Amino acid sequence: MLTLTCPYCGIAAEETELQPGGEAHLKRFGPGSSDAEFEAYLFARRNPKGVHFERWRHAYGCGKWFMAARDTATLQVYGTYKAQTPFPTPEIVAAIQHRHPQWRPDFDATSPTPTSAPEGLTQ
Amino acid sequence: MAEALATISQVQDRGMIQIRADLAQAGDAIAEAAGLALPEQGRITTDGNRSLGWMSPDELLLVLPLAETAEALAVLQDALATEHALVLDVSDMRAMFRIQGARALDVLAKLCPADLAAMPDDGLRRTRAAQAACGIWREPGGYALIGFRSVADYLRAILAGAAAPGTGLDPR
Amino acid sequence: MTQTGPFRLPRGGRLIDRAYQLPFRFDGRQMRGVAGDTLASALLANGQLMMGRSFKYHRPRGPIASGAEEPNALLGLGQGGRFEPNQRATTTPLVGGMVTASQNAWPSLNADIGAVNNWLYRFFPAGFYYKTFMHPRPFWKHVFEPIIRRSAGLGKAPTEADPDKYEQAYAHVDVVVVGGGIAGLTAARDAGRDGKSVWLVEQTPHFGGRTPTDHADGQSRVDALLAELRGMENVTLRRATQATGLYDHGYLLVRESLADHDPNAGIPRQRLWRIRAGHVVVATGALERPLSFAGNDVPGVMLASALRDYIDLYGVAPGRRIVVVTNNDDAYRTALAALDAGLKVVAVIDARSTADGALPAAVRARGLRVLTGSAIAGIKGGHAVEAVKICAHSGSGQVTETVDADCVAMSGGWSPVVHLWSHCGGKLNWSDAQTMFAPDPSRPPTGADGNAMASCAGAAAGDLLAAELTGAQAESALMPVWVMPAHATRKMKFKMWLDFQNDVKVSDVELAAQEGYHSVEHTKRYTTLGMATDQGKVSNINGLAVLSKALNQPIPATGTTTFRPPYTPLTLGAIAAEARGETFLPLRKTPMHGWHEAQGAFFEPVGHWRRPYCYPKGGESHGDAVAREIRAVRASVGTLDASTLGKIIVKGPDAGKFLDMMYTGMMSSLPIGKCRYGLICNENGFLIDDGVAARLSDDTWLVHTTTGGAERMHGHFEDWLQCEWWDWKVWTANVTEQWAQVAVVGPKARMLLERLGGMDLSAEALPFMGWAEGQVAGIPARVYRISFSGELSFEVAVPANRGLELWEKLHEAGRDLDVTPYGTEAMHVMRAEKGFIMIGDETDGTVIPQDLGMSWAISKKKSDYIGKRAQERSHMTDPGRWKLVGLESLDGRVLPDGVYAVDEGVNANGQRKVQGRVTSTYLSPTLDRPIAMGLVRHGPQRMGEVLEFPAGGQDSYKARIVDPVFYDKEGSRANG
Ligand SMILES: [Zn+2]
């Protein structure tokens, strides 16, 4: 049972106080998108053994959604950050690389919005 | 039979006002209208019979005598008229309990996963009590706990159960 | 001291107080123990060596251990609601008046009919169940199954509710040390000196572990540590408290025994601690392994450490003529303890060719026979040990000597207790030198920071002697012995038990290997090795070694099975704690709940709410009550407690834009003062909620959700606001419980409300789908003119604290109008009469609004809303989708709910094809005939067609496809 620190209220909440929300940093595709784009948005989710970016809501608390960068195998938490963050922050990336020096982000954090479908982030 | 760990009583005379706003922008106006200092993250400020609790980065809860609620609501709404803000009377949707006594913390430790022993004196912690959402802060002699009114019976029952005589958490 | 049993030693017993005698019953016989006894020590003192029958073969069994690892001595405790099966006698403190019973034996422990299985062992080999299930089928059904059903199972499930109370508690601790032996005490002291908050939990009622028994000055070492620990304010010591599992991020479950088997204590029986530990020190010691020789399960054969414990801790001698058999030095301690207690030690049989350490030397010095290079070839005796047959260990079991004995103390070495370490991913290394798996400190279970969240100390870490702490002298190396003697015959292996509780023998594991089971996990399931309630605490390593040998590979190549929590079984009561009876769930009650109860309402659960289903009067059936309520509403006026409907405030400059994204329809264009019905879909396009939105002001809407949908929809709104459109200026608030809401419904609804006064509710002032604010009966109110029944209807919302007042005033003022409270079933029937859909009936998470003929509620003007893109997918626009229609039963019977309409032909699985299903079905009191709705392929284009709905067996229903609006098609009644 995980403990994650809510970046909005600073509380280390345990899993029973949280609501899981699946993979983070998905880009929404709406009307006008191709079938392939929409399918990837709606259904294609990564399930890595290792670094994963997730959405959690501090449900029994401040009610805010936040992101957690977590290792699904070791349960290490590299950090949590606010939901209004288009990409994992440089601090998060550094924390991941501290543990996994070979890990490289494959998103372009200088871009104002996510530029690609969920495939943008892989270990 | 020993005494209960704490006295559980339901509080009926408190009003509550929910305020949602950009606190960085509207904080001063709220503090002035509420008559209380703006609480820091995770804290509650108290002066006399009024308290102002930090519920989330954009939400505050003003707890005050029920009789003062209508006027405070109007004052707050007036003060925030030009802001993007939401001010609501939520007095009726909550149930409030007092847990009083030297072992009040034991009662809450049986129900809440939060580390309430580590909560600062002026802390406000939102968590759950068994299966129901709640908010908790300290009061002289114990704690105040608020939850939703529909589960008041449930909250009363689990608090009373956790306070059963002879069930203190000290090692035996 | 014969009162407390013929096998109680005249002196000794570190844990007992002979001054306090405790009577108890075992299988109806009155016995006596003393304070401090476990049930096992008390039974042994009374000469009751045999405590049960084994699971499969019903072999007589006595305890082999003295602690939590015991596989055999499982008893049924207590009576009635407090009866509890499978309780370990070795860890159950004796309580005066206790009623205990052996298990798995009929008609009695001594003459058990099931023991015939013992002679049929050739028919119950490894994989028996698998093989028998495969073939021949009739043999299984008619021969094996009836026998197995009668004789299988350990103990019996209690039939009454558990009258005891249980509780849970949370704790947040820097360091939790598990195990109160010398290593745990030392670890706790060290952490305590560092100023950390420390808990030390010990599963038994005593601190010290094995040290006081095994080492000359052990007790004083323990006492010194305890004295220091008790002086530390930051250290908490808990006895009778067992850590049962270690989970993610230092989450440790710990069971504290408060009043086990003491129902008069008036406090919870057990407390389950849910601890968040910064670090866990696993100081859980080690468990001794049995030796696999023929007859190693006969009562009287036990672990050498257990015999030592019974003598030293409880002053009990399980036997008077003792044989010690070992492959290590440690067991010599048992010989010394037995001698000190005045017992006869016949011989020490040591499989090693030499035994010249300090302990063997001390034993020899006492004049004992030490037979090196020797082994046990077999045990004479069935219900108890009568004699021991001795042979050379290197041979195949040729008996060289037979000695009279009534007790055998065996030791095959020790295994660190690594369960907690392993529960959450800690890895193990095999040590050839010590023949054991021990924790690998370089591969620990990791916590949130990625570092070790647990470490091991003392014997649990593989330091079996813990010489630094105990002062023990070095011991000679042990010799691995997995089968005794080394070249035992096949016949002998049929009598060598590995898993005592599940009756798995060396022969079974060898057979499994021979049959191709190479994976330890597969072998475990095939043979059931280690799958009993003891989870193979004493059997796993021996089984693993036998399997490895059979596969001709080293033990680490075979690997271990998974260690799973709990360490010992947890009571369901402790897991449930307060979640039982009245507080099983947080039941939600409206402000009028008490009134409904007083009126004898029959409640139904809707989410966690309890809503009146109907209000039966006198001896009225529920069906009659519902019909009466509907007729009253349609004829005059009724009231529905609608407080449970979700109410969410949405406010801000972008609120209209936001609601247009949330709803399929247009909410931004709703005029102030008006209401509009709306549908909410998820991003998959499926309909998830519906309700009426009211525009309160330029920038504020109040939206209603379904009962039980409030939290979900509020969460849905917040999700999109926080995570997608966080720059939109919108606040939401779930104010569901701030308001009590009453639907006042029926042709005389207006008349009734006007009697209460305060507001102009005329059709001109408040037209259909409008709302107004004012006072009703002097209570501040918001009145919505909306209708879910087709009748003239006002939903009156007042502050929750005044809901009951409004409700009572309505009933008082409308007495002459026959104002009738109605429940959810009447509401459901009336909406179905009108062809209105219900979320959860007409929808099931796969239905889109277009399926329900609700395209009118979908804005064509909007470029986007949640679900719009999904509704453009080819599957969603397929004209073959099932669509909403009315269904008219042909023979006047009400269609069963959920039945399917069959089509011609069969599908690939040979099942009849289907073309539709019933979603709502009722007897309409208004029309006095059955009505139903359903989803049917091409339904709306097939008006008048008759469908067939098989309903099981020969029964079948026929119904005609009709318009779903059964009543008041023009919709004139809502206008009053
Ligand atoms: Zn939070």
Side-chain angles (χ1 to χ4, degrees), chain B residues 85 92 109 149-150 153 169, chain C residues 170 238 589 651 732 737 801:
Chain B
D92 288 37
R149 76 169 287 139
S150 67
D153 286 354
L169 294 179
Chain C
Y170 297 84
R238 286 187 194 271
K589 300 174 183 175
K651 179 176 191 265
T732 73
E737 299 193 19
N801 285 339

Side-chain angles (χ1 to χ4, degrees), chain A:
Chain A
M1 195 163 57
L2 307 177
T3 302
L4 297 172
T5 299
C6 171
Y8 294 96
C9 57
I11 279 174
E14 72 160 32
E15 208 169 316
T16 65
E17 296 175 286
L18 303 170
Q19 175 194 339
E23 187 176 333
H25 302 299
L26 299 182
K27 176 181 169 1
R28 179 172 184 259
F29 284 90
S33 58
S34 69
D35 279 356
E37 285 169 332
F38 191 64
E39 182 199 15
Y41 159 57
L42 209 52
F43 302 119
R45 294 292 181 273
R46 285 172 306 143
N47 184 23
K49 182 180 182 182
V51 179
H52 195 223
F53 301 95
E54 299 169 338
R55 281 157 28 92
W56 291 85
R57 187 184 188 206
H58 193 188
Y60 284 94
C62 69
K64 297 299 183 195
W65 282 97
F66 64 89
M67 313 294 205
R70 192 172 72 88
D71 192 309
T72 59
T74 66
L75 305 185
Q76 178 169 1
V77 178
Y78 302 108
T80 55
Y81 49 103
K82 295 180 177 180
Q84 301 80 29
T85 314
F87 303 102
T89 62
E91 295 75 36
I92 296 289
V93 171
I96 296 168
Q97 288 176 337
H98 183 71
R99 179 66 62 172
H100 300 289
Q102 303 307 312
W103 188 89
R104 289 287 173 275
D106 55 357
F107 48 82
D108 179 6
T110 59
S111 160
T113 53
T115 51
S116 64
E119 280 67 32
L121 304 166
T122 47
Q123 191 179 335

Side-chain angles (χ1 to χ4, degrees), chain C residues 226-421:
Chain C
L226 277 172
E228 183 172 353
L229 285 165
R230 289 193 170 117
M232 292 179 173
E233 270 190 11
N234 52 332
V235 176
T236 301
L237 306 176
R238 286 187 194 271
R239 295 169 300 152
T241 303
Q242 184 187 69
T244 66
L246 176 60
Y247 308 80
D248 308 351
H249 290 182
Y251 182 59
L252 186 70
L253 274 190
V254 169
R255 174 193 53 220
E256 182 176 20
S257 174
L258 302 178
D260 268 322
H261 317 301
D262 186 7
N264 299 322
I267 58 170
R269 183 185 156 202
Q270 295 175 357
R271 176 184 295 142
L272 189 65
W273 285 97
R274 305 168 67 162
I275 302 176
R276 282 291 172 179
H279 191 81
V280 175
V281 178
V282 180
T284 44
L287 294 177
E288 196 166 28
R289 295 190 294 256
L291 282 167
S292 298
F293 54 82
N296 64 347
D297 74 325
V298 174
V301 179
M302 62 178 65
L303 295 169
S305 55
L307 179 60
R308 208 146 82 220
D309 284 347
Y310 287 119
I311 292 170
D312 181 63
L313 303 180
Y314 307 106
V316 167
R320 295 203 170 91
R321 293 176 58 80
I322 293 158
V323 167
V324 176
V325 57
T326 183
N327 64 349
N328 61 71
D329 278 9
D330 181 69
Y332 287 79
R333 289 196 170 90
T334 300
L336 294 170
L339 286 177
D340 290 345
L343 302 172
K344 167 110 181 131
V345 179
V346 181
V348 177
I349 299 170
D350 195 327
R352 298 174 295 182
S353 52
T354 55
D356 46 16
L359 282 163
V363 165
R364 285 199 185 88
R366 302 279 288 264
L368 285 195
R369 284 181 76 197
V370 174
L371 306 173
T372 54
S374 300
I376 290 182
I379 299 291
K380 201 161 165 264
H383 286 52
V385 174
E386 292 164 16
V388 175
K389 298 177 202 166
I390 301 170
C391 64
H393 178 60
S394 57
S396 59
Q398 196 153 26
V399 178
T400 54
E401 184 183 351
T402 299
V403 294
D404 284 352
D406 58 2
C407 182
V408 176
M410 62 181 164
S411 178
W414 292 77
S415 300
V417 177
V418 295
H419 296 65
L420 287 177
W421 171 265

Side-chain angles (χ1 to χ4, degrees), chain B residues 1 18 20-22 58 83-86 88-93 109-115 128 130-132 148-151 153-154 157-158 161-162 165-172, chain C residues 167-170 172 236-239 256 258 267-268 271 273-274 578-579 583-589 591 609 649 651-653 718 729-735 737-738 799-802:
Chain B
M1 179 56 65
Q18 182 188 109
R20 294 203 66 185
D22 178 343
D58 50 31
E83 297 284 343
H84 166 46
L86 178 63
L88 291 170
D89 181 357
V90 293
S91 309
D92 288 37
M93 67 186 237
K110 294 182 190 182
L111 302 171
C112 306
D115 187 359
R128 61 179 175 84
Q131 300 174 64
F148 287 106
R149 76 169 287 139
S150 67
V151 293
D153 286 354
Y154 174 82
I158 58 170
T167 64
L169 294 179
D170 282 348
R172 308 172 73 76
Chain C
E167 68 178 25
Q168 296 181 353
Y170 297 84
H172 305 260
T236 301
L237 306 176
R238 286 187 194 271
R239 295 169 300 152
E256 182 176 20
L258 302 178
I267 58 170
R271 176 184 295 142
W273 285 97
R274 305 168 67 162
E578 85 297 327
T583 51
F584 177 65
L585 280 177
L587 291 190
R588 301 176 71 179
K589 300 174 183 175
W609 291 102
I649 298 281
K651 179 176 191 265
E718 281 291 321
K729 287 190 177 322
V730 181
W731 298 120
T732 73
N734 179 1
V735 294
E737 299 193 19
Q738 174 66 17
N801 285 339
R802 305 194 68 178

Side-chain angles (χ1 to χ4, degrees), chain C residues 76-90:
Chain C
L77 300 186
Q79 291 171 298
R82 287 201 168 86
F83 175 78
E84 202 171 16
N86 299 332
Q87 296 303 292
R88 290 173 306 282
T90 52

Side-chain angles (χ1 to χ4, degrees), chain C residues 428-748:
Chain C
L428 305 173
N429 284 333
W430 176 257
S431 160
D432 261 331
Q434 294 181 284
T435 60
M436 67 185 186
F437 279 106
D440 179 351
S442 71
R443 293 180 295 161
T446 50
D449 60 1
N451 299 322
M453 65 178 183
S455 54
C456 295
D463 181 9
L464 293 178
L465 266 184
E468 249 177 67
L469 308 178
T470 61
Q473 279 188 284
E475 295 177 9
S476 315
L478 119 176
M479 179 177 93
V481 173
W482 305 117
V483 169
M484 176 178 257
H487 303 288
T489 62
R490 194 171 135 74
K491 198 178 161 199
M492 291 166 81
K493 288 175 180 173
F494 274 111
K495 296 280 180 194
M496 293 180 187
W497 263 261
L498 291 169
D499 183 326
F500 293 76
Q501 195 172 118
N502 262 356
D503 269 336
V504 181
K505 299 158 295 174
V506 169
S507 55
D508 294 317
V509 173
E510 289 185 345
L511 180 64
Q514 191 185 317
E515 293 184 352
Y517 285 86
H518 291 186
S519 151
V520 63
E521 294 286 2
H522 292 166
T523 303
K524 167 177 166 172
R525 281 150 188 83
Y526 189 60
T527 62
T528 73
L529 177 82
M531 289 177 71
T533 63
D534 64 336
Q535 296 187 66
K537 288 186 182 67
V538 297
S539 65
N540 276 341
I541 300 298
N542 286 357
L544 198 57
V546 170
L547 180 65
S548 299
K549 204 174 160 204
L551 296 173
N552 202 19
Q553 65 187 18
I555 287 171
T558 307
T560 61
T561 54
T562 311
F563 293 87
R564 288 193 178 84
Y567 180 63
T568 61
L570 272 174
T571 16
L572 290 174
I575 295 168
E578 85 297 327
R580 59 188 291 181
E582 286 280 289
T583 51
F584 177 65
L585 280 177
L587 291 190
R588 301 176 71 179
K589 300 174 183 175
T590 73
M592 292 83 96
H593 187 91
W595 191 94
H596 306 320
E597 271 184 334
Q599 293 294 310
F602 174 73
F603 288 90
E604 73 163 340
V606 185
H608 284 182
W609 291 102
R610 288 292 176 272
R611 299 191 72 184
Y613 174 92
C614 63
Y615 301 79
K617 275 187 181 169
E620 208 176 31
S621 72
H622 292 169
D624 289 348
V626 170
R628 173 181 51 73
E629 290 167 14
I630 292 170
R631 286 192 201 101
V633 171
R634 297 246 187 253
S636 178
V637 61
T639 62
L640 174 81
D641 182 353
S643 306
T644 58
L645 286 184
K647 305 161 203 84
I648 299 169
I649 298 281
V650 181
K651 179 176 191 265
D654 295 317
K657 177 166 78 166
F658 172 68
L659 289 172
D660 284 348
M661 287 302 293
M662 293 294 103
Y663 285 85
T664 61
M666 192 76 91
M667 289 300 178
S668 57
S669 62
L670 180 63
I672 296 169
K674 294 290 180 189
C675 301
R676 185 170 288 165
Y677 175 74
L679 304 175
I680 300 178
C681 296
N682 59 19
E683 196 66 313
N684 293 279
F686 300 127
L687 185 53
I688 54 173
D689 209 82
D690 69 346
V692 170
R695 188 160 187 177
L696 301 185
S697 71
D698 188 42
D699 71 346
T700 309
W701 282 252
L702 182 146
V703 304
H704 289 102
T705 74
T706 56
T707 295
E711 286 69 32
R712 209 159 32 87
M713 287 309 109
H714 184 238
H716 180 70
F717 289 179
E718 281 291 321
D719 191 350
W720 288 102
L721 280 174
Q722 292 178 30
C723 303
E724 189 70 22
W725 304 304
W726 61 76
D727 52 339
W728 294 11
K729 287 190 177 322
V730 181
W731 298 120
T732 73
N734 179 1
V735 294
T736 301
E737 299 193 19
Q738 174 66 17
W739 303 93
Q741 199 147 318
V742 183
V744 185
V745 183
K748 294 181 181 162

